[in-house]
Amino acid sequence: MGAGTGSRRGRLFLRSLLFLLLARPPARGQLRYAVPEELEHGAFVANLGEDLGLDVSTLSARRFRIVSRAGARQHLEVNLENGILFVNERIDREEVCEAGGTCLLHLQLLVESPLELYRVEVEVLDINDHAPSFPWQEYVLEVAESAVLGARFPLESAQDPDVGTNSVHTYRLSPNSFFSLEVQTRSDASKFAELVLERALDREQQRVHRVLLTAVDGGVPERSGTAHILVTVLDANDNVPAFDQPSYGVSLPEDAPAGTLVIQLNATDLDEGPNGEIEYSFSGHAPPRVRELFHIEPRSGQVLLKGRLDYERASLHELYVQAKDRGPSAVAVHCRVLVHLLDVNDNAPEVTLTSVSTPVLEDAPPGTVIAVISVLDRDSGDNGRVSCEVGPNVPFELRSSFRNYYTLVTTQALDREVVPEYNVSITARDMGSPALLTRSTLTVPVSDVNDNAPRFLQPSYSVYVMENNAPGASICSVSALDPDCQQNAYLSYSIADGHIHGMPVGTYVSINSDSGHMYALRSLDYEQIRSFQIQVQAQDAGFPPLSANVTVHIFVLDQNDNAPVIVSPLPHNGSVATELVPRSARPGYLVGTVSAVDADAGLNSRLSYQLLQATDFTLFSVAPDTGELRTLRSFLEQDASRQRLVVQVRDGGQPALSATVSLLLSVVETMPQTLSDFSEFSLPPEVSSSSPLTLYLLVSLGSISFTFLLAILILTAIRCRGERRSRQGDSCSPPRCHCCPGSRPSSDGLKTSNLTAQPPAGTTAATCLDVPAGGPPGYCYKVCLGPESAQSDFMFLKPCSPPRNNEKDPGKRSRADQHLQVSKEVKQPNTDWLPSSMQRPTLKRYQIQQCRNRGRRWNG
């Protein structure tokens, strides 16, 4: 028990000593270590952290690890706490490296942040853990009694999986008086034993000889294996087969099909008969792999391919073939056949994504490492050289870092809004003929950065809101888009600070910060505010946040919420407005004008007038568009002297609003010198104060009207003066339209208002009236009305041309024009053309002149 424990301790000491002697310092760019096989789990291999110059405390954070292919066994591992490379599982050199020679483990070490790659080679050292062994425990060797002294008989070789000095070193033979042992060395340094006859055999004396063959390796301690050799003495068959050459070499492509002839062996035997018939077979120590791949025809000696070859697994196969005749005491002779495989490009490159850093930020600078890619081709030579490239039209490229290792980096700035994800096609192609390739697709998502400001769907918004809206009602919705995603695309809406008519904009409208719906906070009044604009801001939730503004124009639409207001005539002290009408008034006589205003706009302010109530509907009419009250016929004796009228003013809204005014008309024989209240055009204080816009319009229109009338009067005076000068010496004719000194005015001068006369369509004659006492002597003032005069509230003063020579009786034409009918045409009411304060004195003077003329006529 103690001896066994001491032996194990000694072996461990020798292993450690051998490891320390063979471990080499790390080379620049690549580290190489040596470790004996069969070490237990946890055995120390190397201190990688110290040798690579890495900070041991950051190994775990930087994900320091060994990169291996999928499915490969992890014989070695790294301790992330101290950076020590240790044995993870037992390493059997004979299992890891089937072929002889140096056994290396290639390790790829990867560390991130920043990404670094290291290559380490670990040589697995052989230990003497296998004893030599023979294919069989007992061999039968038939030797003819006629064998000469010194005859050599090759024996089966022992096999030892170990290499170097640990393989078969020598053979030993148990002591005997007939045979000796001679150890031979082959060209590959392998040993084999030959039994040498030292003494002549005599079958009659001893038919069987037994010897013990021992194979010993060169390890420390040495190991051995034995086999019993039974030598049977046969009758004389004194010739053995002989091969043409002791060793054969042949080349065979690895893709050769089954049944392919590998080599034709030929051995000869000088004997005749059965002693010269040769049979071929594999030697007893031919490995099972060789027996699976190759087959020997016993009689012909043809070596045929039986299985599928693989150059990447083994590039050389060694076949040991024996030939033996069929005679008694047949002696087997051996030869070696070396089958060299020729590599064929039958392995496509393998692409492995060693490390992937995704997703990548869209603002990542060019040169950012996305992934580390390893490429492996199991073929050799040109068939194993691989080039790697990425597909076109992607902002990535491959950079070679080590042999068959590439890094995928960006070549330009990325934009997630244009391409949110890239499918990068990586193509690995070898240099064989024909070339083989492998394509692998790497999906690289691009993460968003807040680099896009919100954008409204419209450059500006126009919103139309009906006045008298309900507070809190939705009036419109604004919407913006942000090409970014997630939090960077979440938008919130707000209204910029500002004032509307001195009030904060927040007291008028509000907005839902999430949906963009806008709401009116108060009821709007068209008559107070007709339009306003606000600034709406959309801001995303990115960092830093980005925003955009849009202008919202809000237009208030008019609603028929204001009834017409009567501005003329107005009752005094609660009494009904009165007017005096001469009984001699003819049809079309202008009694007065009902005027009204409406604070609304458009159709809602279009006013129409109608006679709602009357003592006699056949006596008076109201112009629906101007509100002029005129007589329809002459007064009769039976007509009442007091006529009560109710005039209604209605706007064009839906529903329509209206107002009424009551008038009391007194039919008198003689007109008084004072004016009635019906001629007053003053506006009530409440109307003037409640509608400043109407006041501004009245003042402007009044000024324009006064200027226009003044210009017409001046032009008429100049024209009449020119006519007077051209007719000096002519006689005055009362029927003509001339005013001469001392001429008597016509009694019918002002009975019928010139405003009611309208000539037929297509006529160009003007209607002239004499104004008898309106101007200085020698001048004629005429009121000339065109065809459009009856459709307007204005008086167009035009100079009258003298009668033509071909006009025989101009008085008849003047009298015929007096019977023109009152135009019933309805036109668009124009309530803004009201008499201004500047027009009222002119109108009043004209009414005074009318009253004086009436008084003179009645007095005459």
Side-chain angles (χ1 to χ4, degrees):
M1 185 72 177
T5 303
S7 177
R8 286 196 299 273
R9 290 178 179 176
R11 287 197 297 271
L12 292 176
F13 173 76
L14 289 176
R15 291 181 184 178
S16 302
L17 180 61
L18 183 62
F19 167 75
L20 293 176
L21 290 175
L22 295 178
R24 294 182 293 177
R28 183 178 181 182
Q30 179 172 315
L31 301 178
R32 185 166 181 174
Y33 304 96
V35 60
E37 66 174 336
E38 302 294 337
L39 290 180
E40 297 179 354
H41 174 75
F44 174 86
V45 177
N47 191 338
L48 293 178
E50 179 179 352
D51 295 341
L52 296 176
L54 300 176
D55 187 0
V56 178
S57 62
T58 63
L59 294 181
S60 179
R62 297 181 64 185
R63 299 183 62 194
F64 184 68
R65 63 189 183 276
I66 298 176
V67 180
S68 60
R69 290 182 289 112
R73 299 179 61 179
Q74 195 76 14
H75 296 288
L76 302 176
E77 190 57 71
V78 178
N79 189 335
L80 298 180
E81 295 180 359
N82 50 27
I84 293 177
L85 180 68
F86 63 92
V87 177
N88 186 42
E89 63 179 18
R90 185 180 65 86
I91 304 175
D92 188 355
R93 182 191 178 281
E94 289 73 25
E95 179 182 356
V96 174
C97 302
E98 295 182 2
T102 304
C103 182
L104 296 177
L105 295 179
H106 299 279
L107 304 180
Q108 285 80 32
L109 303 177
L110 185 67
V111 62
E112 299 180 357
S113 302
L115 191 64
E116 295 178 346
L117 185 66
Y118 303 93
R119 298 187 65 179
V120 175
E121 290 183 353
V122 179
E123 181 180 359
V124 180
L125 304 177
D126 183 50
I127 64 173
N128 192 22
D129 57 341
H130 294 87
S133 63
F134 290 90
W136 296 282
Q137 294 297 319
E138 184 174 308
Y139 293 92
V140 177
L141 180 61
E142 295 179 350
V143 180
E145 63 178 348
S146 59
V148 298
L149 297 178
R152 297 174 179 272
F153 304 97
L155 301 177
E156 291 288 342
S157 299
Q159 299 295 321
D160 193 340
D162 296 328
V163 296
T165 58
N166 295 328
S167 63
V168 177
H169 179 64
T170 188
Y171 293 88
R172 297 171 185 170
L173 188 67
S174 60
N176 65 87
S177 57
F178 290 93
F179 300 94
S180 65
L181 191 67
E182 186 172 343
V183 179
Q184 301 290 340
T185 302
R186 297 188 181 95
S187 59
D188 59 349
S190 61
K191 307 286 186 178
F192 69 96
E194 291 182 342
L195 198 63
V196 181
L197 183 62
E198 299 290 343
R199 180 180 173 183
L201 300 176
D202 189 357
R203 182 177 181 278
E204 285 69 23
Q205 291 184 1
Q206 188 177 353
R207 301 178 61 180
V208 177
H209 298 271
R210 295 181 180 272
V211 294
L212 180 64
L213 180 64
T214 302
V216 181
D217 62 18
V220 179
E222 66 179 17
R223 293 176 178 268
S224 62
T226 60
H228 294 277
I229 299 177
L230 182 62
V231 180
T232 302
V233 182
L234 303 177
D235 284 341
N237 182 12
D238 52 356
N239 290 291
V240 295
F243 284 99
D244 297 340
Q245 56 191 50
S247 179
Y248 296 88
V250 65
S251 297
L252 190 67
E254 64 171 324
D255 61 348
T260 301
L261 177 63
V262 178
I263 191 173
Q264 174 69 59
L265 297 178
N266 185 31
T268 59
D269 194 326
L270 299 178
D271 295 327
E272 295 181 354
N275 294 332
E277 296 178 359
I278 300 174
E279 290 184 349
Y280 301 90
S281 63
F282 283 115
S283 299
H285 60 270
R289 178 63 178 168
V290 171
R291 296 177 184 271
E292 293 176 0
L293 295 176
F294 302 96
H295 167 70
I296 298 179
E297 290 291 336
R299 301 303 298 271
S300 64
Q302 290 182 345
V303 180
L304 303 176
L305 182 61
K306 179 182 177 182
R308 183 175 181 180
L309 303 176
D310 190 356
Y311 176 88
E312 288 71 36
R313 183 172 181 178
S315 61
L316 175 67
H317 294 282
E318 189 173 11
L319 285 65
Y320 290 96
V321 181
Q322 67 180 9
K324 184 170 63 173
D325 58 29
R326 301 180 64 185
S329 304
V331 176
V333 293
H334 299 78
C335 74
R336 185 178 64 168
V337 179
L338 298 179
V339 180
H340 298 274
L341 298 185
L342 302 178
D343 186 33
V344 175
N345 191 22
D346 59 344
N347 291 280
E350 300 176 4
V351 178
T352 303
L353 299 177
T354 303
S355 179
V356 180
S357 300
T358 57
V360 58
L361 292 174
E362 64 175 324
D363 61 348
T368 301
V369 178
I370 305 301
V372 176
I373 301 169
S374 63
V375 182
L376 175 65
D377 195 318
R378 299 181 183 276
D379 296 322
S380 61
D382 290 340
N383 297 331
R385 284 199 293 270
V386 181
S387 63
C388 200
E389 61 184 10
V390 296
N393 302 325
V394 292
F396 304 97
E397 68 176 2
L398 289 175
R399 296 179 181 175
S400 178
S401 54
F402 292 101
R403 183 175 180 272
N404 293 338
Y405 276 86
Y406 299 87
T407 56
L408 182 66
V409 299
T410 59
T411 59
Q412 63 187 39
L414 306 179
D415 192 347
R416 190 205 66 83
E417 289 71 37
V418 178
V419 181
E421 183 179 85
Y422 290 92
N423 291 321
V424 183
S425 177
I426 302 172
T427 302
R429 189 190 314 270
D430 59 26
M431 302 299 178
S433 179
L436 299 179
L437 58 87
T438 300
R439 285 190 176 91
S440 180
T441 301
L442 173 63
T443 301
V444 181
V446 182
S447 61
D448 186 46
V449 174
N450 192 24
D451 57 348
N452 289 278
R455 180 175 54 86
F456 283 92
L457 299 181
Q458 299 177 205
S460 64
Y461 290 84
S462 296
V463 181
Y464 298 90
V465 182
M466 188 68 68
E467 68 171 331
N468 301 321
N469 58 292
S474 176
I475 59 175
C476 72
S477 176
V478 296
S479 180
L481 297 179
D482 195 318
D484 296 322
C485 67
Q486 296 180 354
Q487 195 72 9
N488 296 329
Y490 177 78
L491 302 181
S492 60
Y493 299 90
S494 61
I495 297 177
D497 294 336
H499 292 81
I500 301 175
H501 287 196
M503 296 294 292
V505 69
T507 62
Y508 280 84
V509 291
S510 66
I511 191 170
N512 188 307
S513 60
D514 296 326
S515 63
H517 290 289
M518 297 179 62
Y519 304 91
L521 299 181
R522 62 170 60 184
S523 180
L524 302 176
D525 189 355
Y526 175 84
E527 287 72 37
Q528 293 183 0
I529 180 172
R530 298 193 177 186
S531 66
F532 58 92
Q533 65 182 26
I534 59 176
Q535 292 288 329
V536 177
Q537 182 186 71
Q539 179 173 290
D540 58 29
F543 183 81
L546 301 178
S547 61
N549 294 338
V550 70
T551 302
V552 179
H553 301 272
I554 299 178
F555 299 93
V556 182
L557 300 180
D558 183 42
Q559 193 177 39
N560 193 23
D561 57 345
N562 292 280
V565 177
I566 306 297
V567 297
S568 176
L570 294 177
H572 288 278
N573 300 324
S575 61
V576 179
T578 61
E579 175 59 74
L580 301 180
V581 182
R583 186 173 292 274
S584 60
R586 294 186 178 185
Y589 175 80
L590 178 61
V591 178
T593 301
V594 178
S595 299
V597 294
D598 195 316
D600 294 321
L603 291 176
N604 296 328
S605 65
R606 179 181 293 178
L607 303 180
S608 62
Y609 301 82
Q610 66 176 352
L611 192 59
L612 190 63
Q613 296 179 11
T615 304
D616 188 351
F617 282 97
T618 63
L619 190 55
F620 299 97
S621 68
V622 176
D625 54 348
T626 62
E628 293 179 347
L629 181 61
R630 297 179 182 273
T631 58
L632 293 176
R633 58 179 177 82
S634 300
F635 288 95
L636 303 178
E637 294 295 335
Q638 61 270 22
D639 291 334
S641 60
R642 297 176 66 86
Q643 299 286 335
R644 184 179 182 84
L645 306 178
V646 177
V647 178
Q648 183 188 55
V649 183
R650 180 186 296 269
D651 58 26
Q654 292 294 333
L657 301 178
S658 62
T660 58
V661 60
S662 298
L663 303 176
L664 183 59
L665 303 181
S666 299
V667 182
V668 296
E669 299 295 336
T670 302
M671 294 294 293
Q673 297 296 323
T674 59
L675 295 174
S676 64
D677 296 335
F678 199 25
S679 61
E680 295 293 335
F681 287 89
S682 61
L683 294 174
E686 62 274 15
V687 175
S688 301
S689 60
S690 63
S691 181
L693 181 60
T694 303
L695 180 59
Y696 299 154
L697 291 175
L698 292 176
V699 172
S700 300
L701 294 176
S703 302
I704 295 172
S705 301
F706 177 75
T707 305
F708 179 72
L709 291 175
L710 183 59
I712 294 300
L713 290 175
I714 294 173
L715 292 176
T716 304
I718 294 174
R719 183 64 179 270
C720 290
R721 184 175 182 180
E723 291 177 358
R724 185 181 63 81
R725 291 179 178 177
S726 64
R727 295 180 179 85
Q728 288 181 359
D730 294 344
S731 60
C732 294
S733 177
R736 296 181 181 270
C737 293
H738 295 90
C739 295
C740 299
S743 63
R744 185 178 178 179
S746 173
S747 60
D748 298 333
L750 294 176
K751 288 184 178 181
T752 303
S753 173
N754 60 337
L755 297 179
T756 61
Q758 179 179 356
T763 61
T764 58
T767 302
C768 301
L769 291 178
D770 293 335
V771 183
Y779 290 88
C780 178
Y781 292 90
K782 300 178 182 181
V783 180
C784 301
L785 303 180
E788 63 276 356
S789 300
Q791 301 178 9
S792 174
D793 295 338
F794 288 103
M795 296 168 58
F796 295 86
L797 301 181
K798 302 179 182 179
C800 290
S801 302
R804 307 294 183 182
N805 295 328
N806 56 356
E807 293 181 1
K808 296 181 179 179
D809 190 0
K812 293 181 179 181
R813 184 174 58 86
S814 178
R815 287 192 299 269
D817 293 338
Q818 295 177 1
H819 297 285
L820 296 176
Q821 297 297 324
V822 178
S823 174
K824 299 299 183 177
E825 180 183 354
V826 179
K827 65 170 294 210
Q828 171 70 25
N830 193 348
T831 58
D832 295 335
W833 296 94
L834 297 178
S836 63
S837 59
M838 299 179 66
Q839 288 178 306
R840 291 169 190 164
T842 304
L843 295 176
K844 192 168 184 179
R845 287 195 300 269
Y846 180 74
Q847 289 182 343
I848 293 173
Q849 184 65 34
Q850 278 189 320
C851 293
R852 290 177 179 175
N853 293 335
R854 292 173 186 173
R856 293 172 184 170
R857 187 168 58 250
W858 286 105
N859 293 330

